[in-house]
Amino acid sequence: MALDWCDGSPAEALARRSFDLHAELAQRIDDEWGYRRLDTLGVVTSARRDVGFYRKLAAPDWLAGDAAVHARLGTAETTAQVNPAAFTGAVMRAALAAGARLTIGTVTGLVQGADGAVQGVMVDGQEIAGDAVVIAMGPWSALASQWLPLPAVYGLKGHSLVFRYAPTPVPHALFVELETEAGTLASPEVFPRPDGTTYVCGLSSEAPLPVDPAAVVPDEGGAARLRAMTAQFAPALGGAEVLAEQACYRPVAEDGLPLIGAVPGARVPMWRRATLCGDAERPGYGRGGRGVDRRRSGQDRGPRALRSGTARAARGGCRAGGGLAPKSHQSRDLPGSCECHAR
Ligand SMILES: Cc1cc2nc3c(=O)[nH]c(=O)nc-3n(C[C@H](O)[C@H](O)[C@H](O)COP(=O)(O)OP(=O)(O)OC[C@H]3O[C@@H](n4cnc5c(N)ncnc54)[C@H](O)[C@@H]3O)c2cc1C
């Protein structure tokens, strides 16, 4: 999570509020979800060329010697992390303790009055009445457009690994610009967690979203490729025991901004989708169109640090939901780099 990476975008206030609220919740709720502030570093690594030119800061000692830290993208004042599953569980427990009721099931439709006003939802064939409905089905919110006139939402697939590995002594989140021996460009992200594990994600793909969320599985060979990339810039981490191989889909809207607010014409329900800018490893990710986060237009055609001084923004534009893309790339470009524009 970042305090200020959405500054200057329409999501600035939302991102800042979210950052502060996470700190507040960590204080207020007596539970544990690995919240902590930490520094975030921008790292460049290439198996094809010397990137030493970009080295601006000393690298943590668990990184490969040829990995260059080109920037401090965030400090403990501006970047923080959570374990998302633990966070979700803890907040749910807190809600239950405060009187909420949890029903686990599949929402199959809305209950609407003759005037179109939403009166509840159908969950596994049973009606649950309500005076407001919040649609928060992530990329599966697209299915809710069968019920309501909703903006388009797409699913962008990502992969992740959880390693049994705890870098010492000080944890750093890493946003890595990586070039493989084969010339493939990738942008893995690394988050050491307080529980002695390290989460690494990346490797986006445009594999279609399965209708059933339980059917999401990693692409064939995805975990091995992500592990190999990890070993390129952090050999001990890449060689550590893998505790989980995961895939997930993040929701992406046409304009790249979070979809939050009332559904036009539906009178009562709220439409919410918290979306984030994603990673994109494949060249062409930023082309725009279906399943593509256009905020990162063109950003994945070359290691960003090699292309631009705007690495922080480039690392995901507004990573907490805004529409910020780097305005321009300057010198030091690799072939294939490009201009990106604020949306
Ligand atoms: C690899 C990766 C890295 C990311 N990194 C970051 C990051 O660093 N920082 C950040 O802030 N965000 C990050 N994100 C994005 C973040 O995870 C998503 O934006 C966030 O999870 C979206 O939350 P959500 O609740 O809207 O949707 P989801 O988390 O997708 O949850 C939707 C839920 O709805 C359920 N569902 C779907 N259909 C139905 C139905 N009919 N009935 C009942 N339930 C249903 C699904 O099973 C799912 O549990 C990342 C995402 C990925 C994939």
Side-chain angles (χ1 to χ4, degrees):
M1 299 174 293
L3 173 70
D4 55 359
W5 291 6
C6 288
D7 283 4
S9 89
E12 176 176 336
L14 175 66
R16 285 182 163 266
R17 175 76 186 109
S18 170
F19 190 83
D20 291 345
L21 186 58
H22 270 286
E24 194 184 312
L25 290 174
Q27 291 287 320
R28 202 186 335 145
I29 299 176
D30 185 20
D31 210 323
E32 177 55 43
W33 55 86
Y35 174 85
R36 71 177 170 189
R37 304 290 189 94
L38 77 176
D39 284 3
T40 300
L41 303 177
V43 175
V44 184
T45 179
S46 171
R48 290 160 66 98
R49 66 193 84 204
D50 178 11
V51 294
F53 176 75
Y54 301 100
R55 185 169 291 114
K56 296 286 186 297
L57 300 168
D61 62 9
W62 49 283
L63 295 192
D66 55 359
V69 176
H70 65 85
R72 192 177 308 280
L73 304 177
T75 67
E77 299 301 309
T78 60
T79 47
Q81 68 177 140
V82 296
N83 176 324
F87 170 74
T88 307
V91 171
M92 192 71 240
R93 282 190 291 278
L96 292 172
R101 186 158 61 93
L102 171 64
T103 301
I104 295 180
T106 301
V107 179
T108 53
L110 299 178
V111 182
Q112 287 175 279
D115 59 355
V118 173
Q119 299 172 343
V121 289
M122 295 300 296
V123 179
D124 293 331
Q126 292 213 308
E127 182 178 332
I128 298 180
D131 58 7
V133 171
V134 178
I135 297 170
M137 288 151 55
W140 292 276
S141 300
L143 300 176
S145 58
Q146 298 171 98
W147 317 325
L148 291 170
L150 299 172
V153 179
Y154 307 109
L156 180 67
K157 191 171 187 177
H159 293 78
S160 58
L161 298 172
V162 179
F163 293 93
R164 191 190 301 283
Y165 184 79
T168 53
V170 183
H172 292 97
L174 307 179
F175 284 68
V176 182
E177 318 292 342
L178 179 148
E179 186 176 32
T180 65
E181 185 68 51
T184 308
L185 303 172
S187 309
E189 298 170 11
V190 181
F191 303 95
R193 289 174 167 168
D195 65 359
T197 65
T198 296
Y199 172 89
V200 179
C201 67
L203 222 56
S204 297
S205 91
E206 282 182 28
L209 179 76
V211 173
D212 179 0
V216 174
V217 290
D219 289 354
E220 185 75 34
R225 274 188 291 143
L226 188 54
R227 185 198 264 267
M229 285 181 191
T230 305
Q232 183 178 320
F233 61 87
L237 171 60
E241 180 189 357
V242 171
L243 301 176
E245 299 179 357
Q246 305 164 133
C248 59
Y249 283 82
R250 78 197 67 193
V252 179
E254 282 286 352
D255 65 1
L257 290 171
L259 297 172
I260 303 175
V263 179
R267 295 185 51 190
V268 179
M270 297 297 288
W271 157 247
R272 180 193 75 88
R273 179 185 61 79
T275 187
L276 282 284
C277 307
D279 310 309
E281 279 68 29
R282 292 172 308 100
Y285 169 97
R287 284 189 309 269
R290 192 175 177 81
V292 171
D293 184 343
R294 291 185 297 182
R295 283 167 298 177
R296 299 195 41 159
S297 176
Q299 290 174 6
D300 298 290
R301 296 180 206 162
R304 295 180 192 89
L306 301 180
R307 292 181 284 117
S308 166
T310 58
R312 182 196 58 171
R315 261 312 316 169
C318 167
R319 291 206 40 88
L324 187 65
K327 289 191 176 68
S328 67
H329 298 300
Q330 297 152 2
S331 55
R332 304 183 196 166
D333 287 359
L334 286 177
S337 67
C338 65
E339 285 281 314
C340 301
H341 302 278
R343 295 174 57 79

